[in-house]
Coordinates of all heavy atoms in Angstrom, one line a residue:
K58 N 15.8 12.7 59.0 CA 14.7 13.6 58.7 C 13.5 12.8 58.3 O 12.4 13.1 58.8 CB 15.1 14.5 57.5 CG 16.2 15.5 58.0 CD 16.1 16.8 57.3 CE 17.1 17.8 57.9 NZ 18.5 17.6 57.5
T59 N 13.7 11.7 57.5 CA 12.5 10.9 57.1 C 11.9 10.2 58.4 O 10.7 10.2 58.5 CB 12.9 9.8 56.1 OG1 13.6 10.5 55.1 CG2 11.7 9.1 55.5
A60 N 12.8 9.7 59.2 CA 12.3 9.1 60.5 C 11.5 10.0 61.4 O 10.5 9.7 61.9 CB 13.5 8.5 61.2
Q61 N 12.0 11.3 61.4 CA 11.3 12.3 62.3 C 9.9 12.5 61.8 O 9.0 12.6 62.5 CB 12.1 13.6 62.2 CG 13.3 13.6 63.3 CD 13.9 15.0 63.3 OE1 14.3 15.5 62.2 NE2 14.1 15.6 64.4
S62 N 9.8 12.7 60.4 CA 8.4 13.0 60.0 C 7.6 11.7 60.0 O 6.4 11.9 60.3 CB 8.4 13.7 58.6 OG 9.0 12.8 57.6
A63 N 8.2 10.6 59.9 CA 7.4 9.3 60.1 C 6.8 9.2 61.5 O 5.7 8.8 61.7 CB 8.2 8.1 59.8
F64 N 7.6 9.7 62.4 CA 7.2 9.6 63.8 C 5.9 10.4 64.1 O 5.0 10.0 64.8 CB 8.3 10.0 64.8 CG 7.9 10.0 66.2 CD1 7.5 8.9 66.9 CD2 8.0 11.2 67.0 CE1 7.1 8.9 68.2 CE2 7.7 11.2 68.3 CZ 7.2 10.1 68.9
E65 N 5.9 11.6 63.5 CA 4.7 12.5 63.7 C 3.4 11.8 63.3 O 2.4 12.0 64.0 CB 4.9 13.7 62.7 CG 6.2 14.4 62.8 CD 6.1 15.7 63.7 OE1 5.3 16.6 63.3 OE2 6.9 15.7 64.7
A66 N 3.5 11.0 62.3 CA 2.3 10.3 61.8 C 2.1 8.9 62.6 O 1.0 8.6 63.1 CB 2.3 10.0 60.3
W67 N 3.1 8.2 62.8 CA 3.1 6.8 63.4 C 2.6 6.9 64.8 O 1.8 6.0 65.2 CB 4.5 6.2 63.3 CG 4.6 4.8 63.7 CD1 5.5 4.4 64.7 CD2 4.0 3.6 63.2 NE1 5.5 3.0 64.8 CE2 4.6 2.5 64.0 CE3 3.0 3.3 62.3 CZ2 4.2 1.2 63.7 CZ3 2.6 2.0 62.1 CH2 3.2 1.0 62.8
R68 N 3.0 7.9 65.5 CA 2.6 8.0 66.9 C 1.1 8.2 67.1 O 0.5 7.9 68.2 CB 3.3 9.1 67.7 CG 3.0 10.5 67.2 CD 3.8 11.5 67.9 NE 3.6 12.8 67.3 CZ 4.2 14.0 67.6 NH1 5.1 13.9 68.6 NH2 3.9 15.1 67.1
L69 N 0.4 8.6 66.0 CA -1.0 8.8 66.1 C -1.8 7.6 65.8 O -3.0 7.5 66.0 CB -1.4 10.0 65.1 CG -0.8 11.3 65.4 CD1 -1.3 12.4 64.4 CD2 -1.2 11.8 66.9
W70 N -1.2 6.6 65.2 CA -1.8 5.3 65.0 C -2.2 4.7 66.3 O -1.3 4.6 67.2 CB -0.9 4.3 64.2 CG -0.7 4.6 62.7 CD1 -0.5 5.8 62.1 CD2 -0.7 3.6 61.7 NE1 -0.3 5.6 60.8 CE2 -0.4 4.2 60.5 CE3 -0.9 2.2 61.7 CZ2 -0.4 3.6 59.3 CZ3 -0.8 1.5 60.5 CH2 -0.5 2.2 59.3
G151 N 10.0 8.5 70.2 CA 10.6 9.1 69.0 C 11.4 8.1 68.3 O 11.1 7.0 68.1
I152 N 12.6 8.6 67.9 CA 13.5 7.7 67.1 C 14.3 6.8 68.1 O 14.9 7.3 69.0 CB 14.5 8.5 66.3 CG1 13.8 9.4 65.3 CG2 15.5 7.6 65.5 CD1 14.7 10.3 64.4
G177 N 5.0 2.9 69.4 CA 4.8 4.1 68.6 C 6.0 4.8 68.2 O 6.0 6.0 67.7
D178 N 7.2 4.2 68.4 CA 8.5 4.8 68.0 C 8.8 4.4 66.6 O 8.2 3.5 66.0 CB 9.6 4.2 68.9 CG 9.3 4.6 70.4 OD1 8.8 5.7 70.6 OD2 9.7 3.8 71.2
V179 N 9.8 5.0 66.0 CA 10.4 4.7 64.7 C 11.8 4.2 65.0 O 12.4 4.6 65.9 CB 10.3 5.8 63.7 CG1 8.8 6.2 63.5 CG2 11.1 7.0 64.2
P209 N 3.9 4.8 57.3 CA 4.7 5.8 56.7 C 6.2 5.4 56.5 O 6.8 4.7 57.2 CB 4.7 7.0 57.8 CG 3.7 6.6 58.7 CD 3.3 5.1 58.6
E210 N 6.7 5.9 55.4 CA 8.1 5.7 55.1 C 9.0 6.3 56.2 O 8.7 7.4 56.6 CB 8.4 6.4 53.7 CG 9.8 6.1 53.1 CD 9.9 4.7 52.6 OE1 8.9 4.0 52.3 OE2 11.1 4.3 52.5
G211 N 9.9 5.5 56.7 CA 10.8 6.0 57.8 C 10.5 5.4 59.1 O 11.2 5.7 60.1
V212 N 9.5 4.5 59.2 CA 9.3 3.8 60.5 C 10.3 2.8 60.7 O 10.8 2.5 61.8 CB 7.8 3.3 60.6 CG1 7.6 2.4 61.8 CG2 6.8 4.4 60.6

Side-chain angles (χ1 to χ4, degrees):
K58 292 211 170 81
T59 310
Q61 276 184 308
S62 63
F64 176 60
E65 310 259 300
W67 183 237
R68 66 183 175 182
L69 300 179
W70 284 44
I152 300 177
D178 299 325
V179 300
E210 189 71 20
V212 171

